[in-house]
Amino acid sequence: MQALILAGGKGTRLRPLTVYTPKPVVPICNRPFLLYQLDTLRRAGVTDITLSLSYQPEKIEQQLGDGSNFGVKLKYTVEPQPMGTAGAYKFAEELIREPTVVFNGDVLTDLDLKAMIRQHKERQATASIFLIPVEDASMYGVVETAEDGRVQRFVEKPKPGETNCRNINAGAYVLEPKVLDLIPKGENYSFEYGLFPNLLEKGEAFFAHVPPRTYWMDIGTPARYLQAHHDMLANRVTRFHLKDRRGDFDSATHSEIDDLSIVADDCTIKPGVEIINSVLGPGCYIEERARIENSVLWSHTRVGAAATVKDAIIGRGCHIGRSSLVGAGAVLGDKTSLTDYTKTCA
Ligand code: GDD
Ligand code: MG
């Protein structure tokens, strides 16, 4: 079994965070996102992994290298321009000889991949797709299935009234290499609108995998990116245990950091500071009486005295002036500087 991770999208919905950091390596609890997917693959015994890139590929290669630090073997393909999800798989064809696990490079999940691969083999499927139920399916691809688990219909980004089904494509597939013959070469082509409906028309064995009690989140918008952090901090994502929430940093005796929060190496926490349910990247500097709550701060950000940061995401190397209030929904790109007393909300 091999794997291909689709990591070539621009991450536009996650801007400004993705202006300097491609979505596949935005940090989740201070680790580049793709490392969680590499963990999932490695645990299922899949170590021959190709990353399909297009946007800022050098930044991804720089962080992950040949994969040896993470117990896997990484290869890269870089499309001259994005070829679509299935087009990207076709573009990597030379590297693919075996049945392949394909992941959308932006889903955080504690999927038991071994069980999914087992089911794929037992059913002698041509393709298997991981499904997850959600409340609002309008932003995803709905997948309707029969009683026996066979896939029957795809409705990508359904409009109101188009389907009542709430099971969506969770962005993980197991594909037999023969499906490559159904993807046109050198064209922009998608799994969701192209290959999958085509497999159904051809009557191929295409099965859904609907695992019990599985965490799933597409991290592709700021709200979901922040939610993924809260879920990680509350240990709702099983299989990824946060070993050490405290790095090596200086903190004043009269400051409070709750048990949920993660504070990385080389931070400075001054007296009277409160840090609640938040993640601080390396080298953050939090001045007297500042309060950080339900927020994510990337590395080397400075928060001035008596400032409050709540329900917000702050990029790398930002400066939040003293007594500022950065509130719900705020997303600051790298190197943002806020003047003292700034308010981003009432
Ligand atoms: N290499 C490459 N080339 N990767 C691509 C391309 C491309 O042209 N287009 C998208 N990707 C990657 C993105 O980087 C992302 O990791 C993944 O493919 C999915 O693309 P998104 O743009 O995030 O799609 P989506 O979230 O709107 O919808 C997809 O994911 C949903 C689940 O999160 C669809 O697969 C839906 O059916 C699904 O429900
Ligand atoms: Mg997505």
Side-chain angles (χ1 to χ4, degrees), residues 13 23 106 218 220:
R13 288 165 291 182
K23 180 166 71 166
D106 62 351
D218 175 327

Side-chain angles (χ1 to χ4, degrees), residues 218-284:
D218 175 327
I219 60 144
T221 66
R224 297 200 298 252
Y225 173 76
L226 192 56
Q227 185 60 48
H229 278 86
H230 295 152
D231 293 335
M232 287 287 292
L233 293 181
N235 289 327
R236 285 191 280 267
V237 195
T238 60
R239 292 167 195 267
F240 299 121
H241 293 294
L242 297 169
K243 273 170 249 118
D244 202 355
R245 295 188 190 223
R246 299 285 183 273
D248 184 6
F249 62 90
D250 293 332
S251 86
T253 32
H254 299 289
S255 61
E256 186 199 323
I257 304 172
D258 76 348
D259 290 343
L260 294 175
S261 295
I262 296 179
V263 179
D265 290 345
D266 304 322
C267 287
T268 302
I269 311 291
K270 293 297 210 179
V273 164
E274 282 179 280
I275 296 176
I276 301 146
N277 193 35
S278 293
V279 177
L280 271 59
C284 286

Side-chain angles (χ1 to χ4, degrees), residues 129 154 169 173 175 190-192 194-200 206:
I129 180 167
F154 281 88
N169 167 14
Y173 324 114
L175 303 176
S190 94
F191 284 126
E192 298 83 353
L195 179 74
F196 293 159
N198 196 357
L199 286 176
L200 296 182
F206 193 172

Side-chain angles (χ1 to χ4, degrees), residues 83-87 156 183 187-197:
M83 301 290 289
T85 46
E156 187 65 24
I183 305 173
E187 269 178 45
N188 191 298
Y189 199 67
S190 94
F191 284 126
E192 298 83 353
Y193 294 99
L195 179 74
F196 293 159

Side-chain angles (χ1 to χ4, degrees), residues 39 100 108-109 114 134 171 217 240 277 321:
D39 286 348
T100 299
L108 178 66
T109 177
K114 249 189 195 157
V134 295
M217 182 71 67
F240 299 121
N277 193 35

